[in-house]
Amino acid sequence: MSKPLVAIVGRPNVGKSTFFNQMAGARIAIVEDTPGVTRDRVYADCEWQNHQFTLIDTGGIDPTSDDPLLSQMRRQAEIAIETCDVILFFVDGRQGMTGDDEDVADMLRKSGKPVMLVVNKVDNVRQMDNIYEFYNLGMGDPIGISSVNLLNFGDMLEELTSHFPAPEEAEEEDRTVKIAVAGKPNVGKSSLVNRLLGEERVMVSDIAGTTRDAIDTRFTAPNGNEYVIIDTAGIRRKRAIAYQSLERFSIVRALAAIDRCDVALMVIDATQGVTEQDSKIAGYIDEQGKAAIIVINKWDAIEKDNHTMTEFTQKVREELKFMAYAPILYISALTGQRTNKVLETVDSVYEQASRRVTTGLLNDILADAQAALQPPATSGRRLRIYYATQQATNPPTFVMFVNDQTLMHFSYERYLEKQFRKAFGFEGTPLKFILREKREKQEG
């Protein structure tokens, strides 16, 4: 199930970033950083009382300014508003209501999204009276908080989670593979989608999408397999990207599709190579445990010799080390070159991600791996792995019972992952390991 998206919006200097940093700092929320994201983070995966959601940070909205930078920030916020499930409208309780607050409120009303009015900088109970003038915005009951000292965070988060969409009911009979086409703007995502639908389809029907205004397009390939391409706003609709800085917000557009997919197509422009933005989006795919295929598009535009593909593959592997399991396809969505391999590879990696290994066979491979390379020792204590079992699929998840999980070095975990892949395949899917301690004295 996909996580709800929550956008923080408001005019500049009302404390949005302080609130976001408090949430991302794990003082209240459980947050996992995404590989490849080293700066300009615009989202944080959060959890509160078993409610998981993604918080989207935005720049301040100055509704009337012609300043290019402020115009860019306003457009970024509009993208977040368009994509999210719930909006946190931040205002400043110390400064009081302003004309810009009224303009932002008018903009949010037009979005049709649920909006919570959050009066920030209410640093103690005595200042709660400051919230009442904000009733004039006509945005419902304001909630006073302090992002600095966390005042009223619990009440605010409880109200926030009440706006989340109802959990989607699992469809046990539907084995349709859901495909997300992810990537930064202008890498050929829409061309690839149209190529897949135009050449491979037997029938196509558009189905009303999620609360993020996405469209799920279901189609049947000539081999009889059914697929759904999950299309967030902007994938097939050609939308002008007015400012280069908006590239970072393409992540926000991809979140909903990636969360709900079975297989993610990470589309990269061959003429540009792997960019920082590509790494961020690929990192999110990996973090969510999704089966993945790296699709190098516009391969027809590259001058080639006998070494071009090998050298390009090496560069991709270097830049996306965390996604070494993903197969790489070289295609041209424009000409159709090798696009017939896309669905074939989707079927393969989905099968690998859905694979189950019997406990007996799994532990045979585990025993062989430990015999070939002894587990690490620290301060005279050696890691002991008693046994393992597969807990889940998509991604394949393994629980290993050990004497002390602190003795497991990441390099040995990588070694075990390589041995599991050598024995069972698992091409195209990340593997997840969970360590559980089982005291040695219990073993007799």
Side-chain angles (χ1 to χ4, degrees), residues 93-377:
R94 290 182 197 159
Q95 187 175 1
M97 194 175 75
T98 68
D100 283 349
D101 290 328
E102 295 181 77
D103 291 337
V104 173
D106 289 340
M107 184 177 80
L108 297 182
R109 264 189 287 271
K110 296 174 184 176
S111 74
K113 301 290 179 74
V115 180
M116 283 178 54
L117 178 58
V118 181
V119 184
N120 195 26
K121 304 184 185 180
V122 178
D123 296 327
N124 55 62
V125 176
R126 294 188 302 275
Q127 295 177 3
M128 278 297 172
D129 287 349
N130 295 353
I131 73 173
Y132 294 115
E133 68 172 305
F134 291 98
Y135 274 101
N136 293 321
L137 292 174
M139 302 298 289
D141 296 330
I143 299 177
I145 71 161
S146 171
S147 294
V148 173
N149 60 32
L150 312 185
L151 179 68
N152 253 12
F153 262 41
D155 290 346
M156 186 269 297
L157 289 170
E158 184 174 352
E159 173 69 17
L160 171 64
T161 55
S162 72
H163 291 286
F164 288 169
E168 300 169 9
E169 295 184 7
E171 297 182 11
E172 296 292 338
E173 299 300 319
D174 189 359
R175 302 300 298 165
T176 306
V177 180
K178 299 178 179 65
I179 305 169
V181 182
K184 67 181 186 180
N186 304 318
V187 295
K189 298 188 302 294
S190 60
S191 297
L192 177 56
V193 168
N194 290 333
R195 177 68 65 173
L196 293 176
L197 296 178
E199 287 192 349
E200 302 290 344
R201 71 187 178 192
V202 173
M203 60 179 184
V204 174
S205 58
D206 287 338
I207 304 167
T210 68
T211 53
R212 298 170 194 84
D213 300 320
I215 297 295
D216 290 3
T217 305
R218 181 182 296 266
F219 68 103
T220 304
N223 63 6
N225 292 344
E226 288 197 353
Y227 305 91
V228 170
I229 290 185
I230 305 172
D231 181 6
T232 55
I235 288 182
R236 287 204 310 274
R237 292 195 296 264
K238 291 185 178 179
R239 184 185 300 274
I241 305 298
Y243 299 96
Q244 187 174 1
S245 65
L246 291 182
E247 260 195 13
R248 70 194 193 110
F249 265 79
S250 64
I251 293 179
V252 174
R253 290 196 182 282
L255 293 182
I258 293 169
D259 282 350
R260 294 194 297 121
C261 79
D262 298 309
V263 179
L265 304 181
M266 179 64 221
V267 184
I268 293 172
D269 187 334
T271 64
Q272 298 180 14
V274 179
T275 66
E276 181 183 4
Q277 183 69 358
D278 295 322
S279 296
K280 291 177 181 179
I281 299 173
Y284 188 82
I285 294 169
D286 177 73
E287 186 62 46
Q288 300 308 305
K290 301 298 183 178
I293 303 166
I294 299 171
V295 179
I296 309 300
N297 191 28
K298 306 183 185 179
W299 193 240
D300 58 308
I302 298 293
E303 292 187 11
K304 308 173 189 67
D305 58 32
N306 293 337
H307 307 289
T308 305
M309 186 176 291
T310 300
E311 292 172 355
F312 200 100
T313 297
Q314 289 175 345
K315 290 179 181 178
V316 172
R317 293 304 186 196
E318 288 172 5
E319 295 293 332
L320 303 179
K321 291 179 180 177
F322 54 86
M323 201 177 265
Y325 52 82
I328 301 176
L329 295 181
Y330 291 87
I331 72 162
S332 169
L334 182 65
T335 67
Q337 179 186 18
R338 284 193 287 274
T339 54
N340 62 313
K341 295 290 185 183
V342 173
L343 293 182
E344 180 182 318
T345 310
V346 165
D347 291 340
S348 175
V349 300
Y350 180 68
E351 179 184 352
Q352 296 289 317
S354 305
R355 173 168 292 178
R356 278 197 174 273
V357 180
T358 63
T359 299
L361 182 57
L362 180 65
N363 283 281
D364 286 345
I365 299 302
L366 180 60
D368 290 344
Q370 293 184 85
L373 181 63
Q374 200 173 30

